[in-house]
Amino acid sequence: MAMALEDGSQAAGSSLAQDMKGLIGRYTDKTFDWDAFPASRDFPDLARCQMRYIGGGGSPKVNDPATLPAGKFTFSMVHQPPGKFAASHSHEVVEHFLILEGVLTVGWVWGDEVIEAKLAPGDLVLNKLGRPHGFRNDGVEPVLMQITVGSGKPQPPVYVCHPRDKGIEAARRFGAGAGPDKIIPFNPDSSDFRQRELAQYLVRYRDRVPVWHKAGFASMTYIGEQAAPPQHYRMEMIHLSKGAGIKAYSRDVEDVYFVLDGTVTVGWEENGKTVEQRLGTRDLIFNPAGRAHYFRNDGPADARFTMVVGSPAPETVAFTAA
């Protein structure tokens, strides 16, 4: 019989337990990096910091020993103080912003015109491959967001309006012209093709309809069918009722759990051995391809976590209650 260790893992298989610990990113073990983005140096208006969990996440610091190696995607958090902005740029892959705290203004760029949308906690925008975009904190509190880039080794961003080239005021507008009609508020009901394009990639938390599974949890799709279109990966938000749990499953690609609130117990199985670790708020675990794993809520309250899967294909796992 497996004997519980003080850290919550199971003693059946020290190698498996060490492997599991090595693929967990603990929020309390990490530090925000205020020098993650070299293009922001010497520009106080661009100040923001990054906490890396998986890969560089848009930062060139891909060899950070405190960061897990990336597979199909990167995973990080970014903190942006009030009044600061990120200059408009594009990527060769998709990336998403999931707002955890504060209100973020995101701008998508078409020439000298920009459509701006405000995102509240729980909202997401999937920035389309090649679409120039920037973001700004117009609020009174800091913004904290989770960012995923759809490649393990993304190329450096291509800036379209950086203050070193166009000046601070133009860059703050993401390159929009000075006229009042050059910055257009987001309107999902508009017939403008640009508005319609952005509307496909912007997901409101308030509009998500939970799907309750017989295994005792609810899922809300953010990137996938009937949500933002998946291209490199997909993502769901999981609401796990207290006392609920599922039997082990495996995939042919990795998946990642990132706890938003509450606690989640995660287990790995191999050759009849089981190890477990409990994750707290803003802890993350990387579950490798082929690894049998499960989740359970042993806490006193319901928990929420995001699940990012390294494939755009629809879900094939049939989750079964434990």
Side-chain angles (χ1 to χ4, degrees):
M1 179 180 293
M3 180 176 63
L5 299 178
E6 289 182 358
D7 62 7
S9 65
Q10 300 290 322
S14 59
S15 176
L16 183 61
Q18 288 302 116
D19 289 348
M20 186 181 199
K21 288 182 181 179
L23 290 177
I24 290 176
R26 296 286 187 189
Y27 179 58
T28 51
D29 292 340
K30 293 185 171 293
T31 303
F32 279 102
D33 180 3
W34 284 95
D35 189 37
F37 306 104
S40 298
R41 292 172 185 163
D42 302 322
F43 294 95
D45 293 85
L46 301 182
R48 65 187 187 278
C49 59
Q50 180 195 46
M51 179 178 284
R52 293 177 289 277
Y53 285 84
I54 301 173
S59 168
K61 297 184 178 182
V62 295
N63 296 317
D64 181 352
T67 302
L68 301 176
K72 301 290 187 180
F73 52 83
T74 70
F75 198 107
S76 64
M77 286 198 304
V78 165
H79 165 100
Q80 186 179 54
K84 308 303 182 181
F85 71 94
S88 53
H89 60 281
S90 64
H91 299 280
E92 87 286 3
V93 292
V94 296
E95 68 169 352
H96 80 244
F97 305 155
L98 174 67
I99 309 307
L100 305 178
E101 297 177 1
V103 177
L104 185 75
T105 299
V106 174
W108 276 27
V109 182
W110 282 266
D112 68 343
E113 295 185 325
V114 175
I115 295 180
E116 291 189 351
K118 292 184 182 294
L119 305 180
D123 292 348
L124 174 144
V125 64
L126 179 65
N127 293 301
K128 185 179 178 182
L129 183 155
R131 170 58 56 205
H133 59 278
F135 54 91
R136 187 177 63 243
N137 184 351
D138 295 329
V140 297
E141 60 182 326
V143 166
L144 183 67
M145 58 182 164
Q146 185 274 308
I147 296 181
T148 289
V149 182
S151 169
K153 296 180 179 179
Q155 298 296 313
V158 177
Y159 286 94
V160 299
C161 188
H162 194 280
R164 66 172 172 246
D165 304 314
K166 304 294 180 66
I168 286 292
E169 291 310 313
R172 186 179 294 276
R173 299 192 302 270
F174 309 131
D181 59 338
K182 297 298 184 179
I183 297 179
I184 308 165
F186 174 58
N187 178 5
D189 298 320
S190 171
S191 61
D192 186 327
F193 76 94
R194 299 168 300 180
Q195 297 270 14
R196 293 171 66 86
E197 179 178 303
L198 177 53
Q200 294 179 53
Y201 290 83
L202 193 150
V203 180
R204 298 288 191 195
Y205 176 75
R206 63 178 182 245
D207 296 332
R208 295 295 85 198
V209 177
V211 176
W212 282 95
H213 300 255
K214 292 181 179 179
F217 68 92
S219 62
M220 296 189 295
T221 303
Y222 274 74
I223 302 172
E225 294 181 312
Q226 298 182 340
Q231 297 177 44
H232 301 279
Y233 60 89
R234 56 186 174 80
M235 191 191 87
E236 294 183 345
M237 184 180 293
I238 305 299
H239 179 105
L240 185 60
S241 303
K242 61 181 180 180
I246 66 165
K247 293 182 179 180
Y249 70 94
S250 63
R251 304 182 186 276
D252 58 3
V253 295
E254 73 270 30
D255 67 19
V256 165
Y257 306 158
F258 179 68
V259 180
L260 300 177
D261 42 55
T263 59
V264 177
T265 298
V266 181
W268 283 11
E269 294 182 354
E270 183 180 85
N271 298 326
K273 299 177 181 178
T274 300
V275 295
E276 292 186 349
Q277 287 282 329
R278 183 174 289 186
L279 306 181
T281 300
R282 296 176 188 162
D283 288 347
L284 172 147
I285 186 168
F286 181 104
N287 299 298
R291 169 67 63 207
H293 57 290
Y294 58 86
F295 54 80
R296 185 177 70 247
N297 184 354
D298 296 325
D302 292 358
R304 289 189 310 152
F305 63 95
T306 57
M307 179 169 63
V308 184
V309 180
S311 169
E315 181 65 86
T316 58
V317 174
F319 297 101
T320 304

